[in-house]
């Protein structure tokens, strides 16, 4: 007997016309619903997200069919991906049935579903249906029974799980009734290729043929009507993310990570800056709310939410969507909440993990811009003081311009203002210029460059704050003012390459300043040192030590620089104990988003939580690559009761201690060689207390001095 089946068995070809009419009605309801949603999105400002279409289509195909972003969190990701693939296979199977029954066979006499292909088709569809049903059940258990904290349940969730389950179950029931009447006894060899249908057919085996036909018609129509109901419901329910999430892959921001729109502050007729209404955001910002699947991955990783602050990235996005639908003229800042907006550290962990490519950070920045530029609000008096200091003195500390380059006294540093030339311009930044702890990092970096034969130039008293903390807090005016002064200065000296020890300066000079006219190579010192080692220009004498490494947000997630620092530390003799949250999953130190300038008054302290993550590794040393992180960890170790258990060093400080030549540690009366460092690390049992210098060196070696 031929391996095939009659497509419209028992229901007859008379159902074709009403079936297509009902299907068209369902798609019409879907299209109308989509149009109504588009009207909501159009409240936002225009934004071009259709450039580089080929790249966008490739990204969409990869993320949709490969479920790449969904699978980044394996727990819920694997069942979700299996369900998607299973349902996609069932959809393709339905299209093949339609193609044969309504086109190829009646028009050309071509039967597609026959022979070995039909057997494979039957087996694959049965297994796909089973996979979809099992994974849907698993996802339902997670949402309704396990209920992870913060995972909201709405009416749409019950509708989605119930309707999808009913579609699959009624499909199997219709198949089982048909097989009980046509294959169970008549063609058992063929029936084996539909194992789930065969199992259901066995339950109907005792029924007579007429009863089986009536049962089949009942389940067939139930299945069909459920499918049309599903199609019609897509834009009106949470099902809409079946369209909007893939579309969001297409609309992804192709600019470098962390790019921010630069406001034309001198544009004629513009009297409103930032966003306090949904109309001030872009259409994509509103669209994101429909693409959001409420998976709460962003919330799980948000450092503010995880330290009891009133910010949930997921909730913020949904509040924007709800406001756009129900009260578009409402005050968006009041809806989201000022404390929530000021709590954001712009660490980007929310965007990095989002399976729907929702863009959270720039929404926060736009609302902060309105608070600062239009309403004159800051997260605290200390931030206002810091902003005034930057405006007057070029740094948030209020230190005099003349003091900015004092840290370099006695070092082989060239001052561009004195007409000297150098291989690189070291953009020092405010913390390494004025903060004593971070000045050690600047000194170490200069000594490393000297050892590699690289001449270092600085702007000295002419350098100003890069403006990054101010910009992330919403003060675009002051950011652009200070940025323009830096740009004119750098261009005036004909600088060819900039190296910085601050990831925030790196992102600002290398990316943000391009919008203002600076197009010069900017490199982080960890990458610079890694290349010097690779080229053989810089020689290290490694000495073994245990450490854990903190991926700063603006170097790891923003720049994708994770391997080079680890490689440098490995060459230096380091044995890494990774924190649970590292790489792209790294947990913020709490200083980003301009929070370095603001007191942390709500919830618990982010830096203490991160320090405790480091302590949990058992490593005696945290190595950082950012002045903000170094500052936060120094404080976190003290306030988190980790003194004596944990020390923090910058990568440059670790490297300078392992140069294959004598090194001056900034103590003019004392030269410390690698041999001295080694002997210090090995020293034990002596009665005299270790000096502060020796304690610092010993901490780097992971031993007690």
């Amino acid at each position: 007997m031929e391996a095939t089946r009659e497509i419209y068995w028992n229901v007859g070809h008379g159902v074709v016309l009403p079936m297509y009419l009902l299907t068209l009605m369902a798609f019409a309801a879907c299209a109308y619903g989509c149009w109504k949603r588009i009207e909501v999105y159009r409240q936002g400002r225009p934004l071009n997200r259709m450039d580089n279409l080929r790249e966008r289509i490739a990204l969409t195909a990869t993320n949709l069919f490969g479920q790449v972003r969904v699978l980044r969190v394996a727990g819920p990701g694997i069942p979700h991906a299996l369900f998607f693939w299973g349902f996609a296979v069932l959809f393709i199977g339905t299209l093949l049935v339609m193609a044969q029954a309504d086109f190829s066979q009646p028009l050309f006499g071509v039967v597609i579903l026959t022979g070995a292909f039909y057997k494979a088709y039957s087996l694959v569809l049965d297994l796909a249906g089973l996979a979809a049903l099992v994974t849907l059940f698993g996802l339902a258990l997670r949402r309704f029974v396990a209920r992870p904290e913060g995972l909201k349940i709405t009416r749409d969730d019950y509708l989605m799980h119930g309707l999808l389950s009913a579609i699959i179950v009624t499909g199997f029931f219709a198949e089982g009734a048909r097989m009980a009447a046509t294959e169970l006894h008549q063609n058992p060899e063929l029936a084996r290729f539909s194992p789930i249908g065969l199992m259901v057919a066995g339950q109907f085996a005792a029924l007579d043929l007429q009863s089986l036909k009536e049962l089949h018609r009942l389940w067939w129509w139930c299945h069909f009507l459920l499918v049309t109901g599903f199609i019609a419901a897509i834009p009106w329910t949470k099902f809409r993310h079946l369209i909007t999430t893939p579309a969001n892959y297409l609309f992804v921001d192709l600019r470098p990570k962390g790019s921010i729109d630069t406001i034309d502050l001198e544009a004629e007729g513009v009297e409103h800056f930032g966003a306090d209404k949904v109309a001030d955001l872009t259409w994509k910002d509103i669209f994101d709310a429909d693409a959001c699947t409420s998976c709460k991955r962003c919330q799980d990783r948000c450092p503010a939410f995880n330290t009891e602050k009133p910010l949930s990235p997921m909730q913020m996005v949904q509040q924007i969507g709800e406001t756009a639908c129900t009260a578009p003229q409402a005050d968006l800042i009041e809806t989201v909440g000022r404390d929530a907006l000021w709590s954001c550290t712009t660490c980007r962990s929310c965007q990095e993990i989002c399976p729907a490519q929702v863009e959270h950070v720039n929404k926060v920045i736009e609302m902060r811009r309105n608070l600062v530029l239009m309403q004159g609000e800051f997260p605290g008096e200390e931030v206002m003081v810091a902003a005034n200091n930057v405006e007057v003195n070029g740094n948030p500390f209020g230190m005099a311009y003349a003091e900015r380059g004092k840290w370099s006294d006695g070092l082989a540093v060239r001052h561009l203002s004195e007409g000297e030339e150098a291989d690189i311009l070291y953009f020092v930044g405010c913390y390494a210029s004025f903060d004593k702890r971070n000045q050690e990092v600047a000194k170490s970096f200069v000594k490393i460059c000297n050892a590699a034969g690289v001449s270092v130039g600085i702007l000295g008293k002419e350098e100003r704050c890069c403006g990054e903390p101010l910009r992330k807090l919403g003060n675009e005016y002051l950011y652009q003012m200070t940025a323009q002064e830096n740009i004119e200065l750098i261009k005036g000296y004909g600088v060819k390459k900039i190296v910085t020890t601050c990831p925030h300066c790196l992102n600002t000079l290398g990316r943000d300043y391009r919008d203002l006219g600076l197009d010069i190579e900017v490199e982080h010192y960890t990458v610079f040192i890694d290349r010097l080692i690779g080229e053989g220009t810089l020689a290290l004498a490694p000495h073994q030590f245990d450490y854990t490494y903190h991926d700063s947000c603006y170097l790891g997630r923003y720049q994708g620089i994770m391997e080079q620092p680890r490689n440098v530390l490995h060459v230096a003799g380091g044995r890494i104990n990774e924190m649970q949250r590292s790489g792209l999953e790294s947990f913020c130190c709490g200083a980003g988003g301009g929070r370095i300038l603001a007191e942390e008054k709500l919830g618990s302290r982010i830096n203490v939580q991160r320090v405790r993550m480091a302590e949990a590794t058992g490593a005696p040393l945290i190595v950082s690559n950012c002045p903000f992180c170094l500052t936060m960890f120094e404080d976190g170790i003290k306030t988190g009761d980790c003194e004596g258990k944990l020390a923090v060093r910058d990568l440059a400080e670790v490297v300078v201690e392992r140069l294959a030549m004598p090194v001056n540690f900034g103590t003019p009366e004392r030269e410390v060689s690698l041999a001295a460092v080694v002997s210090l690390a090995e020293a034990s049992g002596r009665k005299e207390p270790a000096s502060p210098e020796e304690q610092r060196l010993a901490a780097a070696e992971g031993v007690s001095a």
Side-chain angles (χ1 to χ4, degrees):
M1 188 177 293
E2 185 182 20
T4 189
R5 68 177 173 89
E6 182 183 347
I7 298 300
Y8 290 118
W9 176 83
N10 190 44
V11 294
H13 285 268
V15 303
V16 173
L17 182 58
M19 181 181 70
Y20 274 101
L21 285 174
L22 287 170
T23 302
L24 285 173
M25 290 171 62
F27 275 107
C30 180
Y32 177 71
C34 289
W35 176 252
K36 297 298 288 183
R37 301 306 297 180
I38 290 172
E39 288 183 344
V40 174
Y41 311 146
R42 290 175 67 182
Q43 295 177 86
R45 293 185 290 107
L47 178 69
N48 180 19
R49 285 293 175 88
M50 292 302 287
D51 57 321
N52 301 313
L53 197 55
R54 181 175 296 179
E55 182 181 357
R56 292 181 180 279
I57 292 172
L59 286 170
T60 302
T62 300
N63 283 307
L64 177 60
F65 298 114
Q67 292 286 283
V68 175
R69 296 189 67 86
V70 170
L71 286 167
R72 287 181 60 181
V73 180
I78 292 173
H80 189 284
L82 289 173
F83 174 78
F84 169 81
W85 291 323
F87 218 78
V89 169
L90 293 174
F91 177 70
I92 293 169
T94 302
L95 292 180
L96 286 174
V97 167
M98 183 184 71
Q100 175 180 302
D102 303 325
F103 296 98
S104 70
Q105 190 170 7
L107 296 178
F108 307 107
V110 175
V111 177
I112 301 171
L113 302 176
T114 185
F117 180 76
Y118 175 71
K119 292 178 180 179
Y121 166 89
S122 298
L123 180 61
V124 169
L125 256 67
D126 256 38
L127 296 178
L130 177 63
L133 189 60
V134 170
T135 54
L136 190 61
F137 179 71
L139 291 169
L141 284 178
R142 175 178 180 265
R143 182 168 291 272
F144 302 119
V145 180
R147 282 193 74 171
E149 184 181 356
L151 192 65
K152 295 196 301 184
I153 297 177
T154 65
R155 180 206 60 177
D156 281 4
D157 293 309
Y158 291 106
L159 175 65
M160 287 178 67
H161 284 273
L163 185 54
L164 292 172
S165 298
I167 288 171
I168 298 170
V169 168
T170 54
F172 278 132
F173 279 7
E175 180 188 37
R178 176 190 61 78
M179 290 178 63
T182 62
E183 294 178 12
L184 187 61
H185 302 296
Q186 298 89 330
N187 195 350
E189 282 296 317
L190 180 61
R192 292 214 305 260
F193 287 93
S194 301
I196 311 304
L198 180 60
M199 183 178 67
V200 177
Q203 306 304 309
F204 301 147
L207 298 177
D208 58 62
L209 181 61
Q210 185 59 36
S211 297
L212 287 171
K213 286 184 175 181
E214 291 176 1
L215 193 61
H216 173 263
R217 275 194 294 271
L218 172 65
W219 290 124
W220 191 94
W221 276 108
C222 284
H223 178 72
F224 173 72
L225 292 174
L226 286 170
V227 170
T228 54
F230 162 73
I231 294 169
I234 287 174
W236 308 97
T237 65
K238 196 175 174 181
F239 279 132
R240 70 176 69 95
H241 84 261
L242 297 173
I243 297 173
T244 54
T245 297
N248 231 22
Y249 297 148
L250 187 70
F251 300 145
V252 67
D253 191 348
L254 295 178
R255 297 177 298 175
K257 289 181 180 180
S259 295
I260 305 171
D261 291 334
T262 299
I263 301 175
D264 184 355
L265 296 169
E266 298 179 357
E268 291 185 11
V270 179
E271 298 178 351
H272 188 85
F273 300 108
D276 64 348
K277 302 283 191 297
V278 290
D280 299 325
L281 296 171
T282 69
W283 65 262
K284 173 63 167 57
D285 291 318
I286 303 171
F287 185 86
D288 277 345
D290 275 358
C292 174
T293 62
S294 300
C295 67
K296 82 179 188 68
R297 293 184 186 184
C298 58
Q299 181 176 284
D300 287 344
R301 286 154 185 79
C302 176
F305 183 85
N306 279 278
T307 51
E308 303 86 44
K309 296 173 180 61
L311 171 65
S312 162
M314 177 182 71
Q315 184 176 336
M316 178 193 68
V317 169
Q318 293 171 351
Q319 286 170 330
I320 291 171
E322 290 166 5
T323 303
C325 291
T326 61
Q329 295 305 313
D331 189 321
L332 194 58
I333 292 172
E334 290 295 334
T335 301
V336 175
R338 285 166 167 76
D339 285 339
L341 293 172
W342 292 128
S343 295
C344 179
T345 66
T346 67
C347 69
R348 212 175 182 277
S349 58
C350 50
Q351 284 186 221
E352 193 63 45
I353 199 62
C354 179
Q357 290 281 19
V358 170
E359 298 163 19
H360 310 75
V361 175
N362 282 6
K363 295 174 178 57
V364 172
I365 293 174
E366 285 298 326
M367 285 183 270
R368 284 181 173 182
R369 281 174 167 175
N370 186 271
L371 282 169
V372 173
L373 299 178
M374 302 303 298
Q375 303 180 41
E377 291 189 29
F378 294 86
E381 289 295 324
E382 70 279 7
V383 176
M384 189 178 298
V385 170
N388 289 336
N389 286 337
V390 170
E391 188 169 5
V392 176
N393 300 102
N395 67 83
F397 308 109
M399 303 292 285
Y401 279 99
E403 299 294 316
R404 193 168 194 112
K406 289 285 187 179
W407 64 271
S408 65
D409 290 351
L411 295 175
V413 172
R414 302 178 183 182
H415 292 259
L416 302 191
S417 61
E418 298 175 3
E420 298 179 300
E421 295 184 354
D423 296 327
I424 62 168
L425 167 63
Y426 173 31
F427 194 90
V428 186
C430 298
Y431 269 76
S433 294
F434 297 109
D435 176 64
K436 288 186 178 180
R437 179 66 185 87
N438 278 285
Q439 285 175 349
E440 295 302 312
V441 178
K443 294 174 184 177
S444 296
F445 175 65
V446 169
K447 292 168 189 172
I448 292 167
C449 291
N450 293 162
V454 176
S455 59
V456 179
I458 63 172
L459 297 174
K461 62 183 179 181
E462 295 182 310
E463 182 183 294
R464 291 179 61 89
C465 175
C466 71
E468 189 270 348
L470 301 168
R471 190 179 206 201
K472 295 298 163 59
L473 286 170
N475 198 335
E476 182 76 6
Y477 173 80
L478 188 50
Y479 155 72
Q480 289 195 26
M481 185 182 78
T482 189
Q484 290 287 8
E485 292 187 29
N486 280 329
I487 290 170
E488 290 174 14
L489 196 63
I490 292 168
K491 282 184 172 182
Y493 287 127
V495 173
K496 303 299 181 185
K497 179 170 182 170
I498 302 171
V499 179
T500 179
T501 48
C502 176
H504 298 264
C505 294
L506 171 71
N507 279 272
T508 305
L509 272 67
R511 291 180 176 175
D512 296 353
Y513 276 21
R514 289 181 184 275
D515 288 349
L516 299 175
L518 184 70
D519 189 13
I520 295 173
E521 181 187 2
V522 185
E523 194 168 54
H524 192 253
Y525 78 110
T526 57
V527 178
F528 184 68
I529 292 173
D530 183 53
R531 184 168 56 257
L532 292 178
I533 292 171
E535 293 171 350
T537 308
L538 183 67
L540 300 186
H543 180 66
Q544 186 173 293
F545 65 103
D546 293 321
Y547 74 100
T548 189
Y549 176 74
H550 171 72
D551 291 281
S552 62
C553 305
Y554 276 73
L555 194 66
R557 274 188 291 272
Y558 276 74
Q559 291 280 346
I561 297 172
M562 288 169 279
E563 294 306 315
Q564 296 95 321
R566 286 172 170 80
N567 181 56
V568 171
L569 292 166
H570 175 73
V571 173
R575 297 188 306 185
I576 191 168
N577 297 313
E578 291 282 11
M579 284 184 261
Q580 187 177 5
R581 298 282 299 272
S582 63
L584 290 174
E585 287 274 354
S586 183
F587 194 80
C588 183
C589 75
R595 294 295 314 177
I596 188 69
L597 304 179
E599 290 293 330
E600 193 171 358
K601 300 170 185 175
L602 301 175
S604 57
R605 298 186 68 83
I606 295 172
N607 59 341
V608 171
Q609 186 156 328
R610 185 54 169 170
V611 162
R612 285 175 179 156
M613 291 179 189
E615 182 189 13
T617 67
L621 179 68
I622 312 176
V623 178
S624 70
N625 56 49
C626 169
F628 293 3
C629 296
L630 184 62
T631 301
M632 297 301 283
F633 293 151
E634 288 279 2
D635 175 72
I637 287 171
K638 294 174 185 175
T639 56
D641 297 324
C642 291
E643 288 185 287
K645 301 181 235 178
L646 200 59
V648 58
R649 308 294 301 285
D650 186 87
L651 180 140
E653 295 178 298
V654 174
V655 170
V656 80
E657 291 163 1
R658 287 160 177 78
L659 294 176
M661 60 181 292
V663 180
N664 183 344
F665 282 95
T667 310
E669 69 276 6
R670 181 179 177 201
E671 291 287 323
V672 183
S673 66
L674 177 68
V677 173
V678 174
S679 63
L680 172 66
E682 294 171 347
S684 61
R686 66 185 183 183
K687 296 181 180 178
E688 67 274 20
S691 69
E693 177 73 11
E694 291 171 328
Q695 290 178 25
R696 185 171 65 81
L697 294 173
E701 306 306 323
V703 301
S704 174

